[in-house]
Amino acid sequence: MLSISTLIWLLLIVFACNDGEELLTAGAWVRQNQEKYTFAPKALRLDQNKPLTAQFAVAVAVVGSVLLTATIVGAKTFAATGQLHGLFVAAIVLIFLDGVKHILLSIGLRGYSSGVVSAALVQVPYSVYALHRFLAAGLVTWGEIIRDGAIGVVVIGPLLAAGFALGRLVVPARRTA
């Protein structure tokens, strides 16, 4: 059985697995699925005239910095108090919801979508296991999971949009020969 401290730090590895898959596949997936990609909210779209992977990497860096912060705060809080910080609980809920989103998107599209493999094999199992362990250890309640998760959803949406906007802004246009 994994320790609670190990479960906290594993969040970063889970994030790296999913976003690593997305970084490897998102650009090609978007180029090959133009008609499907138009369903994405405008704030979360990439500029087709600029390198897609570079723009996506900027958005990943923004979200990753939040998850890194949540993990550090979560680890320090747990080490000092034996409790879980709400920011970390929110991050676990967001990892779960993101994984479910990937799976549902692939079902809806009836095929592969960028990130679905790691979502199904890593993200969802990790987050379900972590939340189960935290509940069983009395570290969180369902009320806290729902509250912190809801706050996380409200906060991460604008941060994700800001990450995509920053990517569109800072990545230069492709050079034409």
Side-chain angles (χ1 to χ4, degrees):
M1 183 181 311
L2 297 173
S3 71
I4 299 298
S5 293
T6 300
L7 280 174
I8 291 170
W9 288 106
L10 275 176
L11 174 64
L12 295 176
I13 294 169
V14 170
F15 173 76
C17 287
N18 181 253
D19 282 79
E21 178 188 355
E22 288 181 309
L23 281 169
L24 289 172
T25 62
W29 188 90
V30 168
R31 282 190 294 280
Q32 294 168 359
N33 294 280
Q34 289 296 322
E35 73 288 347
K36 295 174 185 174
Y37 185 64
T38 59
F39 291 106
K42 287 185 181 184
L44 303 181
R45 290 189 201 161
L46 302 169
D47 183 339
Q48 301 293 317
N49 298 314
K50 296 181 175 186
L52 301 176
T53 302
Q55 292 174 77
F56 190 76
V58 173
V60 167
V62 170
V63 173
S65 66
V66 173
L67 290 180
L68 175 61
T69 301
T71 302
I72 291 169
V73 168
K76 285 186 173 192
T77 300
F78 183 73
T81 68
Q83 300 297 313
L84 292 179
H85 193 280
L87 179 62
F88 179 76
V89 175
I92 295 291
V93 172
L94 290 170
I95 287 291
F96 171 75
L97 293 174
D98 183 58
V100 169
K101 174 215 57 171
H102 282 294
I103 294 167
L104 292 176
L105 180 62
S106 284
I107 291 169
L109 295 174
R110 297 177 188 216
Y112 178 82
S113 67
S114 182
V116 71
V117 173
S118 56
L121 297 178
V122 180
Q123 260 187 303
V124 171
Y126 161 78
S127 55
V128 168
Y129 178 72
L131 289 171
H132 167 75
R133 286 287 308 285
F134 300 155
L135 284 162
L139 295 171
V140 293
T141 65
W142 276 109
E144 291 166 328
I145 290 170
I146 292 167
R147 180 197 66 212
D148 295 340
I151 292 168
V153 167
V154 169
V155 170
I156 202 68
L159 281 174
L160 189 55
F164 276 89
L166 185 61
R168 289 188 300 271
L169 179 68
V170 301
V171 173
R174 287 188 189 98
R175 294 182 192 200
T176 55

